[in-house]
Amino acid sequence: NKRAVQEYFDHISIFTKILANKSIPVVIFDGVFPPKKGPTLCMKELWRPFPNKFDCERHIDEAKSSYNQFDKLAVSLSNSSENIYYAPLRLGLCINEKCGQYTKQGSPIWHDFGHITEQSSGELADLLRQHLTRTNIRIPDKE
């Protein structure tokens, strides 16, 4: 994870000190954790009824390990600030210890190798809403 460096979080800290005077909360998101192979090669298609599943999912422990340093730095910054909150959501897209290509509702997760679909964003939105509610950040009612 390229953002798992102290300089990244120092920049966030400086930025949020400006916002603290205006009582604006800052939420740090973790990144999503893609499988090793791109989604176009792993998804079932009319012309590919039995896609090769090799490298189409990763074990949840690999996702946790990959973000270990980022998590430590984000939690530390969140704990030391009154207006910074960390919302680790990436594991919300993993099912039964596997981080793969589909959400719990069966929607494709990946638009491409680094961006998630609108459907998977929607599922993460519910997780984010729950997390922010627990941290007492006021959020608008769901439409």
Side-chain angles (χ1 to χ4, degrees), residues 19-88:
L19 299 176
N21 296 333
K22 299 178 184 199
S23 299
I24 299 173
V26 173
V27 179
I28 300 172
F29 295 101
D30 58 347
V32 290
F33 192 74
K36 293 178 182 177
K37 191 182 285 184
T40 56
L41 299 173
C42 296
M43 296 177 73
K44 182 178 177 180
E45 301 285 353
L46 181 62
W47 59 89
R48 190 184 323 108
F50 304 103
N52 179 352
K53 296 296 182 183
F54 182 71
D55 283 342
C56 290
E57 61 184 26
R58 295 164 101 171
H59 194 272
I60 199 167
D61 289 341
E62 196 176 345
K64 290 176 181 177
S65 175
S66 175
Y67 274 84
N68 188 38
Q69 181 65 16
F70 183 89
D71 289 340
K72 284 180 184 176
L73 291 168
V75 167
S76 175
L77 182 58
S78 176
N79 288 341
S80 68
S81 174
E82 292 186 19
N83 68 320
I84 300 176
Y85 303 88
Y86 179 40

Side-chain angles (χ1 to χ4, degrees), residues 6 14 94 99 127:
Q6 187 60 51
I14 292 166
C94 300
C99 303
L127 290 173

